[in-house]
Amino acid sequence: MNTARLRDRVAASDPGLLRLAAGLRTVGAIALTLAVLGLLGASVPHLVAGAIAAMVATFAIREKQRSSQAVTLALGLPVALASLSLGALLSSRVLAGDLFFVALIFCAVYSRRFGDRGTALGLIGFQVYFVSLFVGATVSGLPELYGVLGIAFLGSAAARFLLVPETPTGLLERLREAFRVRLAQLVSAQLQLLDAGPEEIDEALKGVREGTARLHETALMIQGRLEEGTSDAAAARLVQRRVADAEIAAERLGLLLLSARSAERADTLTLHLPGAPAPRAGRMPGRDEAMARVRRDLDALRLLVLRPAAARSSTALSQIRNRLLGYREEENLPPAPPAVQDVFRGIGEAARAVLGLRIALDGPQDESDDSPATARSREELDAEDAVIDAGEEDGEQEELTGLRRPTTRAAVQVAVGSSLAIVGGEFLSSQRWYWAVLTCWIVFINTASTGEILVKGYRRLLGTVLGVLAGIVLAGAVGQHTWTAFALVLVLVFAMFYTAPLSYTLMSFFVTAALGLLYTLLHTYSLSVLVLRVEETALGAACGVIAAAFVLPVRTDRRTNELLVTVLERLDEVTEAAVDQLSGGSPEDLLDQARDLDQALADLRAATKPLTHPITPLRARRDTARYVVALLETCAYHARSLAATAELLPTHPSIAADPRLRRAGRRIGDNIAAIAAHVADEHSTAEVETGPSIASLLETEVPGTPRFGRVTDRVLRHVQRLDETVVGLARPLHVPVVAPRR
């Protein structure tokens, strides 16, 4: 049991075990290379060169298919050999070497426009040239270094394809497991929210928010791996649908629990939104037996999520599943206040989503102990499975040319920044100037605005300073024990790759500490060298910021505005398509559109980090950025829910199209377009229009016509909250809000 719990924790903290696999694969490649070179009696400089080359050949390749990885690795070797040769040939020609280095940097960054393979080959070319400078490669020593590179690439291939193999199918399977565990953790967080007292409520709600965000992150990762990891498009579509159902049901359950603790209906889990419901009482309203039942059912839901495959036919689990699915029927709801009854309904819908997820991932389930409610849920799931359409449409994107293309602009910026770093680095040290160039290069990787580069440079400098202190301690402890030092380097390399997605500062810390050990091995270690490392890092970061700010600059505001317009466009597409389908329009691929919205929002969230970073002095702008992103997260939740409900329309017996919804959704689309126009052009005259509630727009003039049923009422609530949130979004963006014209 303890082993299973530990495995679940690891799966949840590292979805797909991506970080663990990257660390083990890189360490394995370095260890194999060092073992072979050690047996051949290689010198310490050759051991260092082999270790760095093996690391580069391993982490540079990011392609998903094994065949593509093999081709890129094979092409990388001649690129590495050519780069090493030029580094050795130009080592004694300062001006020619510097000019070539700048040209190489430009080409390495520009090659990113050719996809993962171009990125990998550019990275290999740059890093191997750096290796030639680091170990002082000479023309006479090239034959031996060629052999070192060959062994390093073979070690990388062995680690990638034999020691730590990764298949798209296996990776997707681990991501599914991570989704299951994170779903169970979210239910546990919701249980804590249920039991939290007045002093604990903020922390409990924060746990629910973080759990929801982590579940959403895993769903996006699964989406990115479905095409390669499933046998056919229909199977991918089924998994995508069931993952989306579970994600939305879990998020809705959290909102229902929050609503039951609040004076009004909750529309967002975001704590810092003005007007967000704050739970007032220490306990949820209702009788003690109802609260005890909610608590028991949440625990039972968590058990259903975590149950092992061997327990599928367990009678006890079947009874739990039947009871929870029974809450989808009105007659089975326990006596309780309306808000608490909504929680029971949410538990029933979550149980249905878990059942669908189990069928999609594990195959058919035992049906011998099904209750009528469970049987009806299975029938609904089967009907949905039967009409899943795997067709996909690839949208056309505008092709940017010249200096408007991001890769071209970045290549020019890095080339200019690196030129400054070379000149400044030579003044600091004629032997170690390339550290400034390396830092300038690194701060541009995966950044797209001046603000992002500034924050990344700050984090690298901080990690370097701390790493220098650690390097002093480690170098003193290791002394001249070569293999002890290499063993510690392997540990630090693993830590570097394991923490890289979590903290750039930590990654920089481990890199610098490892370099301190490598300097010790090369007999070039001294306190002055490590201090010089900090100075060169600061210089490189400064050169990168200067180049980003003055050479074809992309201001953070411009970058975030572009991404904000993209998010609004995706939100408009999803909302319009969902409302149209719920109004009786033709079916569309709503889940893919919803995931496009999620990805656009994730890109915007990442781009606003410089604005929301703790060191930013512009507090008002930081608060505005957080507020806008929080409102967009709320909009995305309601849009996802509308899309999921619309996809149920052809198969769900209790959902019928309502043409009146189209009239209600038109105002939302116009308002989103008005906000997008104003963000794209501050001189736009577009205005956001308020007016009667969405519910009033559905009123009919025909006497005796029913208003709308429970399912339509749920749809209407999402549309209403989306309408209100879009209007709320206009205010921090300074878009005029007017009453409807008569």
Side-chain angles (χ1 to χ4, degrees), residues 464-479 488 492 509 512-520 525-534:
T464 299
V465 171
L466 297 176
V468 163
L469 298 177
I472 293 172
V473 175
L474 291 175
V478 169
L488 282 175
L492 293 170
F509 166 79
T512 305
L515 286 173
L517 292 173
L518 293 180
Y519 278 133
T520 302
Y525 169 81
S526 68
L527 181 59
S528 61
V529 168
L530 292 180
V531 171
L532 179 63
R533 162 80 171 151
V534 174

Side-chain angles (χ1 to χ4, degrees), residues 175-176 178-187 190 208-224 226 238-256 269 301 305 346-347 349-358 360-361 590-599 601-602 605 632-645 714 718:
L175 285 173
R176 292 170 178 175
F179 183 86
R180 178 185 65 81
V181 177
R182 284 191 166 183
L183 178 58
Q185 289 181 341
L186 177 55
V187 176
Q190 292 169 347
V208 172
R209 289 193 72 248
E210 290 178 350
T212 303
R214 283 157 61 87
L215 187 69
H216 185 58
E217 174 194 26
T218 313
L220 283 177
M221 295 174 71
I222 290 174
Q223 170 73 13
L226 278 174
L238 176 61
V239 173
Q240 179 191 24
R241 172 60 184 274
R242 296 304 170 221
V243 166
D245 285 347
E247 179 189 3
I248 293 171
E251 187 171 4
R252 180 170 179 266
L253 179 57
L255 288 171
L256 291 173
L269 294 172
L301 178 63
V305 175
I347 291 174
E349 293 299 332
R352 179 193 185 273
V354 171
L355 176 62
L357 192 65
R358 282 289 178 184
L361 300 185
L590 295 175
L591 285 183
D592 281 345
Q593 291 186 17
R595 286 306 178 207
D596 289 342
L597 168 61
D598 293 336
Q599 188 58 59
L601 184 54
R605 194 182 297 111
L632 289 171
E633 288 173 348
T634 303
C635 290
Y637 162 69
H638 292 298
R640 280 197 303 271
S641 299
L642 288 173
T645 305
R714 183 194 304 173
H718 287 304

Side-chain angles (χ1 to χ4, degrees), residues 89-105:
L89 287 169
L90 298 173
S91 60
S92 59
R93 298 171 175 84
V94 177
L95 181 59
D98 290 349
L99 291 175
F100 173 76
F101 201 11
V102 172
L104 175 63
I105 290 169

Side-chain angles (χ1 to χ4, degrees), residues 586-673:
S586 57
E588 293 191 38
D589 199 351
L590 295 175
L591 285 183
D592 281 345
Q593 291 186 17
R595 286 306 178 207
D596 289 342
L597 168 61
D598 293 336
Q599 188 58 59
L601 184 54
D603 293 340
L604 175 64
R605 194 182 297 111
T608 58
K609 285 183 178 179
L611 302 178
T612 59
H613 195 276
I615 67 171
T616 179
L618 305 175
R619 305 300 183 187
R621 190 170 68 162
R622 180 189 64 183
D623 294 341
T624 299
R626 287 178 175 174
Y627 183 43
V628 168
V629 171
L631 286 172
L632 289 171
E633 288 173 348
T634 303
C635 290
Y637 162 69
H638 292 298
R640 280 197 303 271
S641 299
L642 288 173
T645 305
E647 289 237 333
L648 292 175
L649 191 62
T651 59
H652 204 291
S654 63
I655 301 179
D658 191 335
R660 295 174 293 179
L661 286 170
R662 184 177 288 111
R663 193 175 20 154
R666 193 174 301 130
R667 185 171 74 195
I668 297 176
D670 292 342
N671 285 343
I672 293 174

Side-chain angles (χ1 to χ4, degrees), residues 578-585 649 655-665 697-700 705-709 711-713 715-716:
V579 171
D580 182 70
Q581 190 164 321
L582 287 165
S583 304
L649 191 62
I655 301 179
D658 191 335
R660 295 174 293 179
L661 286 170
R662 184 177 288 111
R663 193 175 20 154
L697 298 179
L698 266 66
E699 297 292 350
T700 177
T705 303
R707 191 165 177 261
F708 34 78
V711 176
T712 305
D713 184 52
V715 170
L716 186 60

Side-chain angles (χ1 to χ4, degrees), residues 9 16 28 130 136 188 385 529 546 575 626 666:
R9 287 184 178 179
F130 169 80
S188 297
D385 295 349
V529 168
I546 291 172
T575 304
R626 287 178 175 174
R666 193 174 301 130

